[in-house]
Amino acid sequence: MQKNPTFTGLVAVGDSFTEGMSDLLPDGTYRGWADLLAGRMATRAPGFRYANLAVRGKLIRQIVDEQVDVAAAMEADVITLVGGLNDTLRPKCDMGQVRGLLTEAVERLAPACKQLVLMRSPGRQGPVLERFRPRMEELFLCVDDLAARHGAVVVDLYGAPSLSDPRLWDVDRLHLTADGHRRVAEAVWQALGHEPEDTEWRTPPPATAPPGWATRRVADARFARQHLFPWIGRRLTGRSSGDGLPPKRPELLPYEGPAT
């Protein structure tokens, strides 16, 4: 990997993780790691261009059908692809199909850019995701294999202690906080060959006293009411949180940096 490379364009492909949930800005939009990364890259390349095709809730089939060819046609220097995790969280998941679709995506994207970036997505500590963890790890083995075969960079967020810390996850327990997204941007920045701006991104925040039993039960009840039950309802009815939503930034256009 070249040290401190200069790239002229970035296209981000994926779901809510790449869209930037839950790094919420005052105007109600989401920022997220991809915006932060693009902002850093733009400081090194006048006229830098950025597109973000991600839409929350998308399954790997939808990412392949709706985003992959669009991203490939943009001919950006760097393409990031993170997908398949939503599939692993479904009660019925054909992992063979997921692996096949991810392979198809990589085979189409790798020749279309100078550097394809894949990720082992972060996994929050806690009981809710434990039942899905074997599927997640099967997905990540596929990511590693595809990267080795196609010259992609793998950013290992799953193995970072900081990103498993519940304090870096939003109240919905599915999306990272602003600090979590900042750390992801740093991880990808370093993986692309840049000098670290934060050498401790893998280190969890300083220890704090855990919340008391009553506080945890109130939080659990709020999580179930506001996030878990609606999520289950969408799964049972075949709906998605991203139904009808456009890509975050559908065109590869000049970019100076994210809103603050």
Side-chain angles (χ1 to χ4, degrees):
M1 176 67 68
Q2 178 185 351
K3 287 296 183 182
N4 295 312
T6 298
F7 297 110
T8 62
L10 167 68
V11 179
V13 174
D15 51 35
S16 60
F17 173 68
T18 301
E19 184 185 345
M21 296 175 70
S22 292
D23 186 3
L24 190 64
L25 294 170
D27 65 359
T29 62
Y30 294 108
R31 182 175 50 185
W33 66 266
D35 285 14
L36 294 169
L37 175 67
R40 289 196 195 183
M41 296 171 76
T43 65
R44 293 177 175 261
F48 179 85
R49 298 182 300 161
Y50 168 51
N52 190 323
L53 306 180
V55 179
R56 68 196 70 171
K58 292 298 182 181
L59 302 173
I60 188 63
R61 165 61 73 185
Q62 295 169 308
I63 291 172
V64 170
D65 290 347
E66 300 167 13
Q67 299 180 32
V68 166
D69 282 346
V70 176
M74 290 179 174
E75 299 183 337
D77 288 345
V78 179
I79 299 177
T80 65
L81 167 63
V82 188
L85 201 63
N86 283 333
D87 297 79
T88 69
L89 301 179
R90 295 290 178 112
K92 295 182 180 179
C93 173
D94 183 341
M95 286 303 299
Q97 183 180 68
V98 171
R99 293 193 306 272
L101 288 165
L102 186 61
T103 299
E104 180 181 343
V106 170
E107 289 176 345
R108 286 152 67 177
L109 291 175
C113 62
K114 291 182 179 178
Q115 186 60 67
L116 179 63
V117 177
L118 307 177
M119 299 188 198
R120 295 163 59 92
S121 304
R124 181 187 186 276
Q125 294 176 358
V128 174
L129 289 181
E130 285 306 313
R131 62 172 295 191
F132 303 109
R133 206 167 291 277
R135 291 180 184 171
M136 294 167 59
E137 294 180 352
E138 182 178 348
L139 177 68
F140 300 154
L141 287 175
C142 180
V143 166
D144 291 343
D145 178 64
L146 288 170
R149 287 194 279 129
H150 295 277
V153 168
V154 177
V155 184
D156 185 12
L157 306 174
Y158 186 69
S162 60
L163 296 178
S164 65
D165 189 316
R167 292 173 295 172
L168 267 69
W169 293 75
D170 193 47
V171 293
D172 66 1
R173 304 181 185 181
L174 284 174
H175 299 105
L176 293 169
T177 63
D179 186 31
H181 280 282
R182 180 192 63 77
R183 291 170 186 252
V184 173
E186 176 67 31
V188 184
W189 176 255
Q190 292 183 26
L192 286 171
H194 295 291
E195 292 296 325
E197 295 188 10
D198 175 11
T199 58
E200 301 296 324
W201 74 266
R202 291 176 172 272
T203 304
T208 57
W213 183 89
T215 300
R216 295 198 306 273
R217 297 294 78 76
V218 170
D220 288 344
R222 183 173 66 248
F223 160 70
R225 182 177 65 255
Q226 296 180 356
H227 301 286
L228 180 60
F229 294 154
W231 181 82
I232 293 173
R234 290 194 298 271
R235 299 292 80 75
L236 293 175
T237 57
R239 294 178 292 116
S240 167
S241 57
D243 287 347
L245 295 180
K248 179 176 182 176
R249 186 179 171 88
E251 298 181 78
L252 188 64
L253 295 174
Y255 187 72
E256 295 183 355
T260 57

